[in-house]
Amino acid sequence: SHPELYVVMDVKDENIRAAAVIREYCPDLMDRFIIQIYRESECAPIRELGFEHIIYTLYALPWKEKMDTAHLAEFARDHELLGYTFADVLCQREGYVEEMKRTGVPLYIHTVNDPQLQEEFFKMGISGIYGDFGNKPLVFTHRNRANISGTVES
């Protein structure tokens, strides 16, 4: 048993169907899955399936929607997100991280493997970083310990 283990589900197509399969075949493990949604319209169906932990990835959004941080903050307030995740290059856009912090949820970025760069992003206020190392599994690094409710503890 590993109570600290969570699986971040990253299914770009048929996300809702994949979550339904988890619910059907692994109902006792549903609370161990963090579902990444790619569209706002996926949030309600994922919740209706019984999943509580949702990260909204901005990966597939058009540029204009990624930049609409006021709307993203409103969506986070209305939908109890575990966080937002986005590409590290958005951190280079002046003021973006500061604006995203106003969403009130943890911010995660992908994909950064360099420990020195990771440290720079943590200093900006990024909560966690997706990375990969060749044929090893996905690595998720937290600057602080984040609990599953979406709050970050020092």
Side-chain angles (χ1 to χ4, degrees):
S1 173
H2 294 278
E4 75 286 358
L5 178 67
Y6 289 88
V7 176
V8 178
M9 192 176 92
D10 185 18
V11 178
K12 293 172 181 67
D13 297 313
E14 301 190 43
N15 203 14
I16 297 166
R17 191 172 125 203
V21 168
I22 293 169
R23 177 181 154 178
E24 181 178 349
Y25 292 99
C26 308
D28 55 326
L29 297 175
M30 286 176 54
D31 67 332
R32 309 315 300 165
F33 282 86
I34 299 171
I35 309 297
Q36 280 194 149
I37 61 171
Y38 284 80
R39 291 166 268 318
E40 290 180 5
S41 62
E42 294 174 336
C43 193
I46 295 294
R47 288 250 190 254
E48 289 167 9
L49 285 169
F51 290 92
E52 297 178 25
H53 314 305
I54 298 174
I55 291 178
Y56 188 171
T57 179
L58 307 183
Y59 172 80
L61 288 183
W63 183 257
K64 184 177 179 181
E65 292 179 36
K66 290 177 187 180
M67 295 300 107
D68 190 353
T69 56
H71 175 75
L72 294 172
E74 180 181 339
F75 188 81
R77 278 191 301 275
D78 294 343
H79 293 88
E80 295 183 53
L81 296 177
L82 191 63
Y84 279 111
T85 187
F86 48 88
D88 63 315
V89 297
L90 289 174
C91 294
Q92 296 170 8
R93 185 169 174 83
E94 189 172 333
Y96 190 76
V97 173
E98 288 304 315
E99 290 175 26
M100 286 299 291
K101 285 184 199 176
R102 293 186 194 121
T103 65
V105 297
L107 304 177
Y108 306 102
I109 60 170
H110 56 81
T111 301
V112 181
N113 295 319
D114 181 309
Q116 289 178 320
L117 283 176
Q118 289 179 352
E119 189 60 35
E120 288 179 33
F121 289 122
F122 288 134
K123 287 178 183 174
M124 287 181 181
I126 296 300
S127 303
I129 299 173
Y130 295 71
D132 51 35
F133 299 94
N135 61 359
K136 292 183 182 177
L138 178 73
V139 175
F140 189 73
T141 305
H142 266 285
R143 176 64 169 163
N144 300 305
R145 197 176 116 248
N147 68 35
I148 200 63
S149 70
T151 60
V152 177
E153 302 170 354
S154 297

